[in-house]
């Protein structure tokens, strides 16, 4: 018998055009629905229009008030956007900068980061070709051959050797693996989560995955066209649904969904990829 409080239900499917609108729909589904989780969650984002500034600011303000990491810091665990900007389009420099910086990132909060970070697992897995740099291996294979099998284009963050433990709670890794699918239209990224924390992680997760997709698309010389995320159990935890701090965030989420979409930012991910050269 399962010890989980989750109930098997039909998938909650979200198909949106920005990280903000996707997050808003998920938050509202849980905050205004029964229970505190969705199982499973299937999310797809295309076009990658601008984030909603009010939603992002209101969520960041609540996260800070609760002593949680803001959206940008969560995204950084999946892709270090600031280091990529410093590297000016040179992925070897990006990887080098991250290797130098990772011990400091881990030391900042060893309780949370002691088991590692997602980007660290992607490029410093500990074993495998390219000294465990799964991203470099995929990119080098893609660049060096006319065609590669689709199943090669995946990276894993979960490691049974390190992560199968009897601990009652294990905050990392919830993201299990990521796959990349180059298509005629552009690159598609698929991400798979066992569980996901909607309040303090989900928005940053989606933003970090978007940035990772833009990086890989840049290196593969194609636009980034779609992000798909599958979550086994998406939970609203570490905050009560009746917490007054959620009121402005929910209001901002409703406004983000109800206002007309910004029609002037289609192709934003391709523009971002071009500007780092």
């Amino acid at each position: 018998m399962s010890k989980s409080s989750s109930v098997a239900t039909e998938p909650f499917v979200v198909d949106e055009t920005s990280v903000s609108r996707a997050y808003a729909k998920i938050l509202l589904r849980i905050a205004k629905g029964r229970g505190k989780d969705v199982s499973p969650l299937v999310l797809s984002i295309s076009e990658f229009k601008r984030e909603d500034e009010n939603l992002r600011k209101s969520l960041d303000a609540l996260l800070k008030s609760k002593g949680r990491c803001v959206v940008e810091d969560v995204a950084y665990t999946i892709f270090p956007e600031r280091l990529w900007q410093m590297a000016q389009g040179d992925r070897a420099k990006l990887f080098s900068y991250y290797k130098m910086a990772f011990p400091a990132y881990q030391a900042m909060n060893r309780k949370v980061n002691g088991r590692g970070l997602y980007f660290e697992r992607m490029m410093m897995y500990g074993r495998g070709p390219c000294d465990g740099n799964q991203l470099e291996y995929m990119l080098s294979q893609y660049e060096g051959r006319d065609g590669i099998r689709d199943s090669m284009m995946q990276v894993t963050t979960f490691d049974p050797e390190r992560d199968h433990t009897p601990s009652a709670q294990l905050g990392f890794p919830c993201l299990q693996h990521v796959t990349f699918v180059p298509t005629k239209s552009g690159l598609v990224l698929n991400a798979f989560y066992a569980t996901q924390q909607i309040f303090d992680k989900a928005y940053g997760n989606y933003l970090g995955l978007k940035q990772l997709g833009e990086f890989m698309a840049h290196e593969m010389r194609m636009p980034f066209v779609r992000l798909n995320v599958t979550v086994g159990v998406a939970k609203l935890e570490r905050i009560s649904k009746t917490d007054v701090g959620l009121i402005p965030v929910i209001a901002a989420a409703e406004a983000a969904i109800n206002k007309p979409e910004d029609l002037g930012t289609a192709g934003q991910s391709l523009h971002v990829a071009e500007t780092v050269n």
Side-chain angles (χ1 to χ4, degrees):
M1 178 183 293
S2 171
K3 297 182 180 179
S4 171
S5 60
S6 301
V7 177
T9 60
E10 294 181 356
F12 180 57
V13 180
V14 175
D15 186 3
E16 268 301 344
T17 57
S18 75
V19 169
S20 296
R21 288 175 61 88
Y23 178 78
K25 282 191 173 179
I26 297 165
L27 177 64
L28 293 174
R29 165 66 174 79
I30 296 180
K32 295 195 167 189
R34 296 178 59 185
K36 297 186 68 174
D37 59 53
V38 170
S39 177
L41 167 65
V42 180
L43 164 71
S44 188
I45 305 174
S46 61
E47 298 186 42
F48 303 105
K49 295 178 180 177
R50 285 196 189 100
E51 294 179 66
D52 185 276
E53 186 175 350
N54 289 333
L55 176 56
R56 173 77 174 266
K57 284 184 175 179
S58 63
L59 178 59
D60 274 343
L62 180 57
L63 290 168
K64 287 180 181 178
S65 73
K66 299 295 185 181
R68 301 292 180 180
C69 293
V70 296
V71 168
E72 182 180 1
D73 290 344
V74 174
Y76 202 88
T77 66
I78 295 175
F79 185 74
E81 180 73 11
R82 294 190 300 276
L83 291 186
W84 178 228
Q85 293 170 355
M86 290 171 55
Q88 297 183 312
D90 185 332
R91 76 172 184 258
K93 286 185 178 179
L94 168 66
F95 296 146
S96 176
Y97 292 162
Y98 193 85
K99 281 186 177 181
M100 289 188 292
F102 175 70
Y105 297 154
Q106 200 167 40
M108 286 177 188
N109 192 339
R110 191 158 292 277
K111 181 179 179 181
V112 174
N113 300 336
R115 299 180 55 78
L117 296 169
Y118 289 118
F119 194 71
E120 174 254 344
R121 288 276 179 106
M122 292 180 195
M123 59 154 289
M124 299 163 60
Y125 193 74
R127 58 191 185 275
C130 295
D131 294 325
N133 189 334
Q134 302 175 79
L135 299 175
E136 177 58 34
Y137 177 72
M138 281 190 305
L139 290 171
S140 64
Q141 292 295 308
Y142 182 80
E143 294 168 342
R145 294 200 252 166
D146 290 336
I148 61 174
R149 67 181 191 277
D150 288 342
S151 62
M152 182 183 292
M153 302 294 289
Q154 59 180 308
V155 299
T156 185
T157 55
F158 182 86
D159 181 1
E161 184 177 341
R162 290 177 278 184
D163 302 324
H164 271 159
T165 78
S167 300
Q169 289 190 338
L170 202 64
F172 174 90
C174 295
L175 172 62
Q176 297 177 323
H177 70 282
V178 177
T179 72
F180 302 91
V181 183
T183 72
K184 291 181 179 180
S185 301
L187 185 67
V188 176
L189 186 157
N190 303 300
F192 302 86
Y193 283 81
T195 62
Q196 187 173 69
Q197 297 291 340
I198 295 302
F199 165 53
D200 55 349
K201 295 293 180 65
Y203 196 120
N205 289 164
Y206 307 148
L207 180 60
L209 289 167
K210 169 184 172 288
Q211 292 168 346
L212 175 65
E214 289 171 342
F215 161 70
M216 293 294 287
H218 174 272
E219 294 303 289
M220 297 167 73
R221 295 175 176 83
M222 63 178 64
F224 179 46
V225 296
R226 186 169 292 273
L227 166 65
N228 300 314
V229 183
T230 301
V231 183
V233 184
K235 319 176 201 181
L236 186 69
E237 292 184 330
R238 301 166 184 162
I239 193 168
S240 168
K241 289 172 67 171
T242 58
D243 192 306
V244 294
L246 272 176
I247 294 175
V249 182
I250 291 173
E254 291 174 332
I257 293 300
N258 292 328
K259 76 179 183 181
E261 292 189 68
D262 185 346
L263 300 179
T265 56
Q268 181 184 9
S269 61
L270 178 58
H271 173 71
V272 170
E274 290 170 344
T275 57
V276 296
N277 281 321

